[in-house]
Amino acid sequence: MNAQVAWPAIIEFAGGQGYAWVADNASLAAYGPHEGDGLIDSRGRVHVLSQRPSGGLYWCPQPGLVCLAQLNEGLRHFAAGLGICCLPKLNVRSAPEAVALVAWLERQ
């Protein structure tokens, strides 16, 4: 990972398998990210874990910012899987709010 990422961030696991809050680059490996996973940083920038032709993995920055409508949908699904109620009220308006929400959900 490089200095492009504004920490903390959240990993969006590929295949709709949920999210994880990540404090910094040093703690990222503990989550065992795989090709296709996304990283949404505190500024709303998205990075996708891609594979080099040589076989190594790297985070590839994507153009633009995260789509909040899609992120909200994914976060509601994630929260429902954790047994959180009041899902229609769950709505983030920014990437920092999403990062804070995932941190809060992990503590529940």
Side-chain angles (χ1 to χ4, degrees):
M1 198 48 94
N2 55 42
Q4 293 181 23
V5 176
W7 300 100
I10 53 177
I11 295 176
E12 181 177 20
F13 296 105
Q17 296 180 19
Y19 296 84
W21 182 84
V22 184
D24 54 31
N25 189 40
S27 60
L28 188 60
Y31 295 95
H34 294 89
E35 183 178 11
D37 289 347
L39 185 75
I40 303 166
D41 74 12
S42 293
R43 292 188 185 139
R45 292 177 298 203
V46 179
H47 308 263
V48 175
L49 195 56
S50 301
Q51 189 163 8
R52 298 182 195 282
S54 63
L57 296 173
Y58 70 101
W59 290 100
C60 179
Q62 303 298 294
L65 299 176
V66 66
C67 173
L68 289 176
Q70 289 176 331
L71 181 57
N72 275 306
E73 183 179 323
L75 289 171
R76 284 186 199 106
H77 181 73
F78 177 58
L82 297 173
I84 303 297
C85 66
C86 305
L87 294 175
K89 292 182 180 181
L90 192 150
N91 187 51
V92 298
R93 295 170 298 204
S94 66
E97 283 184 18
V99 171
L101 176 63
V102 171
W104 180 82
L105 288 170
E106 286 185 345
R107 292 190 302 268
Q108 301 309 305

